[in-house]
Amino acid sequence: MIPFLDLKSINAQYRDELIAATTRVIDSGWYIQGQEVSNFEQEFADYCGAKHCIGVANGLDALTLTLRAWKELGKLKDGDEVIVPANTYIASILAITENRLKPVLVEPDERTFNLCPNIAAKAITPNTKAILAIHLYGQMAPMPEIMALAEEHDLLVLEDAAQAHGASINSRKSGSWGHAAGFSFYPGKNLGALGDAGAVTTNDEVLAHTIRALGNYGSHKKYENLYQGVNSRLDEIQAAMLRVKLKYLTEEIQHRRTVAKYYLKGITNPAIQLPYCTDDDYHVWHLFVVKTLHRESLQALLHESGIQTLVHYPIPPHKQQAYHYWVEQALPVTEGIHNQVLSLPIGPTIPKDDVSSIIEVCNSWTA
């Protein structure tokens, strides 16, 4: 079986360093908010080109706490509208509704599946206060145009960069474009921990200070609580793991790009629509997502051939039971994407022979 993503082989490359990092934490006797966390925060901020990085428990918390901080700072209030692409993982929407804000779902660009500034502009109302720009599958949304739109209408911009560590536009990385950005370090991400982990990057010192307090029980100083906060802190051992893996992220991204180029050149079956890539730097290929009208048939053949694939994502947020009040909302572009996409194996350790086998099966398939 060719696995969709071989996490064991990915982490085996750095096994000795990961063990050494873990041992360093164990031997330090300091397990919460220690030197590993502060060092990783500085290193990841530098990597992204941002002034501040705040480690949190996971990617959802990164988004949720940022929106919450803007509320605490008086920049958002209950009921304010946040424009967000409809074709996303539900976490993007959960962060908005958890803060009693109103998601305004918009159709994506039909080529990139990312937020389209022109469509977003048509959704702006007097109640619109923010844009959640999602870098889907590892390809950055058109941030120069989104930031120009936000400046014109005095809107906050939060990047959902959970899938786009290292992606860039004009040499400027994700995490440094918006007023803030949320990252996930879930194990399957391009920069993955060995458990749940996340972070926020921002150039806003006051925002960074507020997010850090909110994720630490609302406290800037022990036993003094400014806010009704939560416990969402980056774990010391996970920070140590991430420091190891961050050193190799650029190299791993290059391997993903090489695999993507093999797919883009090699898959010639006209029944399979290949992903559109705006520019090589924009995309770090967290996922390689093809589109076909006959997904089940293609996925079945790949499975029979010993190739694991996944669907990201089978049900869009507005069709989920959690948001049952949107069930009648029609978003045909989004629904078409969710009904037709299939993710092929890609990762920093997938062998070229496996890629060639996947291409061969795709080209042999008859819809």
Side-chain angles (χ1 to χ4, degrees):
M1 172 68 74
I2 297 174
F4 178 75
L5 181 66
D6 190 349
L7 289 176
K8 186 175 179 179
S9 72
I10 291 170
N11 291 317
Q13 302 174 101
Y14 318 122
R15 186 177 189 275
D16 290 346
E17 289 185 73
L18 293 170
I19 290 172
T22 304
T23 302
R24 188 169 66 242
V25 174
I26 293 170
D27 291 348
S28 76
W30 193 294
Y31 308 121
I32 300 291
Q33 293 189 309
Q35 196 63 45
E36 297 294 339
V37 170
S38 60
N39 285 345
F40 173 72
E41 289 176 338
Q42 185 61 61
E43 290 160 7
F44 192 65
D46 291 344
Y47 176 83
C48 294
K51 292 181 180 178
H52 305 282
C53 171
I54 309 96
V56 296
N58 53 66
L60 173 57
D61 283 2
L63 299 176
T64 304
L65 288 172
T66 302
L67 294 170
R68 168 76 188 280
W70 278 331
K71 291 185 72 177
E72 294 289 352
L73 293 170
K75 295 186 177 184
L76 294 174
K77 65 180 186 306
D78 286 5
D80 282 346
E81 294 176 355
V82 180
I83 292 173
V84 59
N87 65 313
T88 183
Y89 183 54
I90 199 168
S92 308
I93 312 300
L94 290 171
I96 299 170
T97 56
E98 175 66 19
N99 280 289
R100 297 184 297 280
L101 302 168
K102 181 181 178 181
V104 177
L105 307 180
V106 296
E107 293 276 46
D109 183 307
E110 293 191 54
R111 297 182 306 168
T112 65
F113 304 165
N114 271 329
L115 185 67
C116 172
N118 291 334
I119 295 174
K122 294 175 183 177
I124 294 173
T125 74
N127 295 321
T128 305
K129 301 301 177 185
I131 296 173
L132 181 53
I134 299 162
H135 307 320
L136 195 66
Y137 307 151
Q139 180 163 217
M140 285 189 69
M143 292 307 297
E145 293 85 353
I146 289 170
M147 295 308 297
L149 179 67
E151 184 174 356
E152 179 184 352
H153 295 276
D154 193 24
L155 305 178
L156 296 165
V157 176
L158 174 57
E159 295 175 68
D160 184 339
Q163 300 182 359
H165 319 71
S168 64
I169 297 175
N170 300 328
S171 300
R172 184 173 170 184
K173 286 189 173 70
S174 64
S176 66
W177 281 91
H179 299 103
F183 286 89
S184 167
F185 304 121
Y186 182 79
K189 303 298 186 185
N190 287 20
L191 179 60
L194 274 71
D196 269 323
V200 178
T201 57
T202 183
N203 290 326
D204 185 334
E205 184 175 1
V206 175
L207 178 65
H209 200 51
T210 306
I211 292 169
R212 192 176 297 282
L214 285 170
N216 188 38
Y217 300 97
S219 175
H220 285 277
K221 182 179 179 182
K222 195 170 185 178
Y223 302 128
E224 294 182 13
N225 302 77
L226 297 178
Y227 312 108
Q228 296 176 25
V230 298
N231 179 7
S232 180
R233 301 177 297 206
L234 176 59
D235 184 82
E236 187 76 357
I237 283 183
Q238 296 302 341
M241 302 282 194
L242 288 166
R243 292 186 68 202
V244 171
K245 297 183 74 175
L246 180 59
K247 294 186 296 182
Y248 301 101
L249 180 56
T250 299
E251 179 183 333
E252 291 197 355
I253 288 171
Q254 189 54 51
H255 186 86
R256 288 175 177 272
R257 286 175 172 159
T258 298
V259 173
K261 286 176 182 177
Y262 285 141
Y263 280 142
L264 291 169
K265 183 178 180 180
I267 298 174
T268 56
N269 191 327
I272 299 174
Q273 179 181 321
L274 297 172
Y276 176 85
C277 181
T278 307
D279 181 275
D280 198 42
D281 285 343
Y282 283 38
H283 215 318
V284 291
W285 299 103
H286 170 60
L287 299 172
F288 190 92
V289 181
V290 299
K291 188 178 175 186
T292 175
L293 295 172
H294 307 281
R295 178 173 68 197
E296 290 74 17
S297 171
L298 175 58
Q299 188 171 34
L301 177 62
L302 288 162
H303 178 74
E304 291 165 10
S305 303
I307 299 164
Q308 183 185 26
T309 60
L310 295 176
V311 176
H312 297 88
Y313 305 95
I315 306 173
H318 71 286
K319 295 297 182 183
Q320 297 283 358
Q321 177 60 32
Y323 294 107
H324 57 88
Y325 40 83
W326 287 337
V327 72
E328 298 301 324
Q329 186 169 358
L331 293 162
V333 175
T334 293
E335 290 157 24
I337 290 169
H338 285 253
N339 289 333
Q340 297 170 26
V341 292
L342 183 67
S343 300
L344 302 181
I346 193 167
T349 60
I350 185 171
K352 185 177 179 181
D353 287 349
D354 285 357
V355 178
S356 297
S357 297
I358 295 164
I359 291 171
E360 184 177 347
V361 173
C362 287
N363 286 339
S364 71
W365 171 63
T366 302

